[in-house]
Amino acid sequence: MAARWAAYSIRPNPREVTKNLKFIGIGGNRSREHIKLKAFLSELFGFTLHLEYDNEYKPASLEAMFLPYYIAQDVGWVYRHKSFRGLDFVKNFKNDFFDYFLGIRNNYDRLEKSQLEKEKKDLEAESRLLHKIEQNDKKLKLAKMKDEVFAEKTNEYIKPYKENKSKLIELEKEYLSLCNKITLLEESRKVLRRVKRSLSNDILADTKCPTCSQHLSHSVEDTYSYLQDLNDTDQQLEELSRNIRNLKDSQGMLNSVINEINEKKKVVEKEYYELLEYKVDNVTLESWLNNKVSVKLSVQLERRLGEITSKIYEVEGKLSKFKTDEIVKRERRSASYTFKSIFEKHVSELKIKPFEDECFYLLYDIPAFPRQGVELLKTLLAYNFSFVEMIKKTEYIHVFPFVLDAIFEGDFEDESKNEILSFIKNNASVDQQLIVSIADSKSNANSAATYNEKHFNKNAKLICIGNNTKKRSFLEKYNGEFEDYIDETMEILG
């Protein structure tokens, strides 16, 4: 498909230089040029409506900008605000659309408000659940009571236990140190004995060669060094042996340490088993430890409830800058009844049978109108005029030409056609262009010119699409007409 194009010549002030902007390739809604065009037109007309797309509020499509002012032939006379396809799939479109055009606005990030409200609901639901668990679980209450009694007994046990356990650890360290000293001395003696045997086999220990029995001569230095090493080894061996004997003579001290260790172990073990056998209301240490789990859960519940309460206050503080749902509902209700008074008046002017159910008059509540044929067309005509009349009172709302396509959509009697045209004539606004399309041909008993003369005092500007002889004749052979328009268009595109 060939890319569509659009070009605009901006002349905000005759004295300013003309600025030409091009938007080439605007066919796709997601195309870069289409997005640029949407941003340009929205800024040009002050259109700031945002809608929710994919869980994010983004600028509304161009169709939403034109929707109040264009009634399409195919569905515009069957359903309200359906002249453009796709808008029904936008989340919360109806409320967002009405709120914007009726001036029910709040300057905030609506997605943020939605997320905060959801967060608050989730926190409140969790809080209710935790309160229910805490209030209904008797085990948690009993656990707290039993825990207090048993905690006192365990405190009595823990203090002496810590003292005895510390003493036991010191004794074990002392015994280990003594054993290490003896082992170290014995190992050192073994090493020195090997050294002595090595020195005994040294050649300096003999004066004759062990092979040839010849007399060996040694230097004084070598002999002195040998004898010195031998003497040092003997002295060290003697000292080590003496230390070992002293330690072994102190075997009683080792035995004493061992005995103290055994005694302390017995005391610690005895106190532990006493604690195991201790009961409070048939609660033993094992059951008490299990009970502590319930107590821990209770503490965690209380802590979590405190955190939730604090978080709810924080969320409510953030929500306070937004309009509450009740305020928005009241404003919508008020707008609906204002619309009702205008709509009822137009329904009466078009001689439509009034609705018995009030919901068909209240803007936000109106379902599909239960009418057919000319009655349905008249109802929607009254509705759309009422809606446009009402939204024009909103200060920031842009106003486009009001386009009514195929106002005689269907086989109507002349009386109904006259009522429709009279209504349009009487309610046309002097500050807004009105464009009405009527299927016209030479076979019609009443032509567009006839309606113009009868209902609009020949003040309507008639535009003929086609040559008035063929049905749906939008295109015809070009014979050189409108040359100036073509040249101006090419100049803009250039």
Side-chain angles (χ1 to χ4, degrees):
M1 180 183 292
R4 292 186 290 175
W5 60 268
Y8 294 87
S9 180
I10 313 299
R11 296 182 177 86
N13 190 318
R15 298 180 181 179
E16 295 182 4
V17 179
T18 300
K19 179 181 179 182
N20 296 326
L21 299 177
K22 294 181 183 179
F23 302 91
I24 301 174
I26 62 172
N29 288 341
R30 297 181 181 271
S31 70
R32 183 179 296 274
E33 290 296 294
H34 184 96
I35 295 173
K36 287 169 59 178
L37 175 63
K38 181 174 74 172
F40 168 73
L41 290 178
S42 296
E43 183 178 1
L44 184 65
F45 294 106
F47 181 64
T48 59
L49 172 61
H50 280 61
L51 298 174
E52 187 174 348
Y53 300 96
D54 301 326
N55 294 323
E56 184 179 354
Y57 276 93
K58 300 178 181 178
S61 64
L62 291 176
E63 289 85 351
M65 185 190 302
F66 292 92
L67 185 60
Y69 306 109
Y70 173 59
I71 314 304
Q73 177 180 350
D74 50 358
V75 292
W77 300 112
V78 180
Y79 303 104
R80 61 190 187 127
H81 305 302
K82 301 286 185 175
S83 295
F84 297 102
R85 294 183 176 88
L87 295 174
D88 281 346
F89 298 101
V90 178
K91 187 176 181 180
N92 297 322
F93 172 76
K94 184 187 78 171
N95 287 340
D96 289 341
F97 175 75
F98 285 157
D99 288 350
Y100 174 79
F101 280 95
L102 295 174
I104 302 175
R105 303 187 68 186
N106 201 345
N107 295 323
Y108 58 77
D109 185 336
R110 303 179 68 174
L111 188 60
E112 179 189 0
K113 182 187 178 189
S114 176
Q115 291 172 342
L116 288 172
E117 288 175 339
K118 182 180 182 302
E119 182 180 0
K120 182 183 177 184
K121 288 180 181 178
D122 292 342
L123 289 170
E124 289 174 339
E126 184 181 357
S127 178
R128 288 193 296 271
L129 176 62
L130 295 180
H131 274 299
K132 186 176 181 180
I133 293 174
E134 188 179 44
Q135 292 171 0
N136 294 341
D137 197 339
K138 295 181 179 179
K139 291 182 179 179
L140 294 179
K141 297 177 181 179
L142 293 174
K144 290 181 180 179
M145 296 168 56
K146 294 177 181 179
D147 180 64
E148 293 172 359
V149 177
F150 222 103
E152 183 178 352
K153 177 62 179 177
T154 53
N155 286 332
E156 294 176 4
Y157 161 77
I158 288 173
K159 185 176 180 180
Y161 169 81
K162 288 174 64 179
E163 294 175 354
N164 290 325
K165 189 66 176 177
S166 298
K167 182 61 177 178
L168 178 61
I169 293 172
E170 290 177 4
L171 291 170
E172 289 175 339
K173 287 171 65 177
E174 182 182 352
Y175 177 77
L176 183 61
S177 177
L178 289 171
C179 291
N180 287 339
K181 286 181 180 179
I182 293 174
T183 302
L184 178 62
L185 291 173
E186 288 179 342
E187 291 298 320
S188 298
R189 186 168 62 176
K190 289 179 183 178
V191 172
L192 287 173
R193 282 174 176 173
R194 292 192 192 101
V195 171
K196 184 174 181 179
R197 282 196 300 269
S198 176
L199 289 171
S200 298
N201 294 327
D202 193 293
I203 193 169
L204 290 175
D206 298 321
T207 58
K208 292 182 179 180
C209 176
T211 303
C212 63
S213 298
Q214 289 185 1
H215 182 76
L216 298 175
S217 61
H218 306 292
S219 65
V220 177
E221 291 82 2
D222 291 338
T223 303
Y224 178 81
S225 178
Y226 163 74
L227 294 175
Q228 183 68 38
D229 289 341
L230 185 61
N231 185 51
D232 288 344
T233 302
D234 289 337
Q235 288 181 358
Q236 290 181 36
L237 277 171
E238 184 180 353
E239 184 178 354
L240 282 173
S241 298
R242 185 172 58 256
N243 290 334
I244 291 172
R245 284 195 302 272
N246 291 336
L247 286 174
K248 287 186 175 180
D249 290 341
S250 303
Q251 186 66 42
M253 184 175 64
L254 285 173
N255 293 335
S256 175
V257 173
I258 293 173
N259 291 334
E260 282 192 66
I261 290 173
N262 293 333
E263 289 298 324
K264 286 296 178 186
K265 283 184 176 179
K266 289 179 182 179
V267 171
V268 170
E269 186 177 5
K270 178 176 177 293
E271 290 178 346
Y272 176 71
Y273 281 107
E274 285 180 356
L275 183 65
L276 286 180
E277 294 174 358
Y278 180 75
K279 291 184 180 180
V280 176
D281 294 335
N282 294 322
V283 176
T284 62
L285 176 66
E286 182 180 0
S287 60
W288 177 68
L289 292 175
N290 294 329
N291 190 69
K292 291 292 288 183
V293 176
S294 297
V295 174
K296 184 68 174 178
L297 175 59
S298 177
V299 172
Q300 289 177 341
L301 284 176
E302 292 177 354
R303 182 184 299 114
R304 181 57 185 159
L305 284 169
E307 292 173 353
I308 290 173
T309 302
S310 176
K311 189 65 177 176
I312 289 175
Y313 284 141
E314 181 182 343
V315 172
E316 287 177 342
K318 293 178 180 178
L319 283 170
S320 63
K321 67 179 180 180
F322 305 128
K323 285 183 179 178
T324 64
D325 290 340
E326 290 302 319
I327 292 176
V328 173
K329 286 179 181 178
R330 286 200 299 269
E331 290 182 356
R332 288 174 178 172
R333 197 71 176 170
S334 175
S336 288
Y337 276 98
T338 301
F339 174 83
K340 178 177 180 288
S341 63
I342 302 173
F343 188 29
E344 285 179 326
K345 177 172 69 74
H346 289 331
V347 165
S348 176
E349 291 174 3
L350 281 165
K351 300 178 182 179
I352 305 169
K353 182 180 178 181
F355 293 104
E356 295 181 359
D357 194 332
E358 186 183 46
C359 74
F360 290 103
Y361 292 104
L362 299 177
L363 184 63
Y364 284 86
D365 302 330
I366 297 175
F369 290 116
R371 300 286 168 84
Q372 293 181 346
V374 67
E375 284 291 303
L376 178 58
L377 186 143
K378 284 182 176 181
T379 301
L380 284 163
L381 184 65
Y383 172 88
N384 286 297
F385 265 88
S386 301
F387 186 72
V388 169
E389 180 180 338
M390 187 170 180
I391 66 175
K392 285 168 67 176
K393 298 175 183 178
T394 304
E395 183 178 356
Y396 57 79
I397 290 300
H398 61 280
V399 178
F400 285 161
F402 195 15
V403 181
L404 307 175
D405 188 14
I407 59 172
F408 294 156
E409 178 65 19
D411 186 15
F412 299 160
E413 298 292 336
D414 287 342
E415 181 180 358
S416 295
K417 292 180 179 180
N418 290 330
E419 289 173 352
I420 292 170
L421 288 172
S422 295
F423 174 81
I424 293 174
K425 163 63 169 57
N426 294 333
N427 289 280
S429 176
V430 295
D431 59 356
Q432 182 183 25
Q433 185 180 15
L434 177 66
I435 301 174
V436 176
S437 71
I438 299 173
D440 190 16
S441 70
K442 292 183 178 179
S443 61
N444 288 351
N446 294 312
S447 64
T450 302
Y451 291 129
N452 186 21
E453 181 178 357
K454 181 177 180 180
H455 295 282
F456 299 99
N457 299 322
K458 296 184 180 182
N459 291 326
K461 306 297 182 182
L462 300 181
I463 301 175
C464 181
I465 302 177
N467 57 14
N468 203 30
T469 60
K470 300 178 181 179
K471 292 182 179 180
R472 301 185 183 277
S473 179
F474 287 92
L475 301 176
E476 58 183 84
K477 185 176 180 180
Y478 175 62
N479 294 316
E481 301 93 338
F482 312 115
E483 194 71 30
D484 292 341
Y485 293 121
I486 294 176
D487 291 341
E488 183 181 359
T489 300
M490 297 307 295
E491 180 182 349
I492 293 173
L493 291 175

